[in-house]
Amino acid sequence: MKATARANTNIALIKYWGKRNETLILPMNNSLSITLDKFYTETTVSFEENLQEDQFFLNGQLASEMEIKKITNFLNIVRNKAGITLKARIDSTNHVPTAAGFASSASGYAALATAAAKASGLNLSKKELSILARQGSGSACRSIYGGFVEWQKGEMEDGSDSYAVPIASDWKLSIMSVMLEQKQKEVLSREGMKRTVETSPFYAGWLATIEDDLANIKQAITNRDFELLGTIAENNALKMHATTLGANPPFLYWQSGTIEVMEKVKELRISGIPAFFTIDAGPNVKVLCEPQYEEQVYQTLSQLDAVQEIFTCHPGSGAILKEGI
């Protein structure tokens, strides 16, 4: 009972920020992302009769007790669905640069869900895999699919209608992750979401704009209107980060280099090169442009003192099963 799967990271253009159910990882709002081609996680799951407990090896190293507990909790969902009790060995390799700003939990749990389902004997649809992956990491439900993907928040208390759906996969764009000098962020994403939802007076305003942002960005994708897509993504990111300033106590993920990159992207637009930024719960900036401007944008941003490295990606495919036994 063994299987190997591979899944790519994704970057949200309409942000997922806040949960209505912490246990099932049900979001407060729909979100929309691009699955990327360059960075991925490859995971092998093997259910074995001789194991007394789950084993989890990440990048060749035995994971911490805390990480193993998280994996065991996730595998218990799979075991319950499959009607098995066997413990598993998990070998996972992240092909994601450290601190590049692409959350490996999305690719990690999408790969784990795909491999574990197959290894346990389950024959799950993409929708069912998305629901399963969501219970490990919210954004992982989007990495089941390639290209542009929407995560529907759902309304049901059991989470049965909260899953990702593919929007489009044939629009070639460039997505650059601009890695800045790193400092440990004081507020982790999970805590940041919780604090913002519970205390920020700006949060209701953020939620009130999501439906329009989603409708407009999907129209931009349908019409291949890059400037509209970039404008909405950039504004959506800024609104999300504004909610953290209203939290109690307030916090901000940006660093001085973050603002430097944002200003340079605006200068590029003024000079006639359409480029837009988005920022997740951290200091690094992701810059969107069309392929014909990729080299110019890369060279311009590379000259900034705060920039350590730039990784260029394009839309990629969804999770795939590499082998099943």
Side-chain angles (χ1 to χ4, degrees), residues 5-214:
R6 170 176 169 169
N8 292 320
T9 58
N10 70 73
I11 179 68
L13 302 182
I14 303 298
K15 303 299 186 187
Y16 149 50
W17 192 242
K19 303 182 184 75
R20 62 183 174 91
N21 183 307
E22 295 275 345
T23 302
L24 294 176
I25 311 183
L26 301 178
M28 294 287 284
N29 63 275
N30 287 27
S31 56
L32 188 144
S33 64
I34 308 177
T35 301
L36 304 172
D37 63 350
K38 192 168 187 177
F39 303 135
Y40 62 94
T41 301
E42 189 166 289
T43 298
T44 298
V45 177
S46 177
F47 289 99
E48 301 175 8
E49 293 184 1
N50 62 337
L51 291 178
Q52 300 302 309
E53 59 186 15
D54 294 319
Q55 298 177 350
F56 176 38
F57 295 86
L58 179 60
N59 297 331
Q61 301 293 319
L62 182 65
S64 67
E65 287 186 18
M66 182 180 296
E67 287 297 321
I68 293 173
K69 183 178 180 180
K70 287 169 60 179
I71 294 295
T72 292
N73 289 340
F74 181 78
L75 289 179
N76 285 341
I77 300 171
V78 177
R79 282 186 277 256
N80 289 338
K81 285 181 176 292
I84 64 174
T85 58
L86 294 176
K87 301 301 183 182
R89 175 183 170 119
I90 303 96
D91 291 277
S92 188
T93 303
N94 273 337
H95 298 269
V96 183
T98 303
F102 290 123
S104 59
S105 62
S107 57
Y109 275 98
L112 177 61
T114 303
K118 180 65 174 180
S120 67
L122 293 171
N123 184 26
L124 301 185
S125 65
K126 289 282 191 181
K127 171 184 167 182
E128 291 169 321
L129 281 174
S130 182
I131 292 172
L132 177 60
R134 187 205 75 226
Q135 295 173 77
S137 171
S139 57
C141 75
R142 300 188 306 239
S143 280
I144 295 297
Y145 295 99
F148 292 88
V149 181
E150 181 180 1
W151 175 11
Q152 300 177 337
K153 66 177 182 178
E155 302 294 339
M156 303 294 289
E157 291 302 316
D158 64 358
S160 58
D161 60 347
S162 180
Y163 51 85
V165 293
I167 300 297
S169 60
D170 58 347
W171 189 9
K172 189 171 178 63
L173 299 176
S174 299
I175 306 99
M176 300 183 192
S177 179
V178 183
M179 192 171 78
L180 306 170
E181 186 175 0
Q182 290 298 295
K183 299 175 185 175
Q184 181 66 38
K185 62 182 180 181
E186 295 179 4
V187 181
L188 298 178
S189 300
R190 181 168 299 204
E191 165 58 24
M193 282 189 192
K194 192 170 188 296
R195 189 190 303 180
T196 303
V197 172
E198 292 176 353
T199 69
S200 178
F202 304 151
Y203 190 72
W206 146 263
L207 286 181
T209 69
I210 295 296
E211 290 303 318
D212 282 347
D213 282 354
L214 277 167

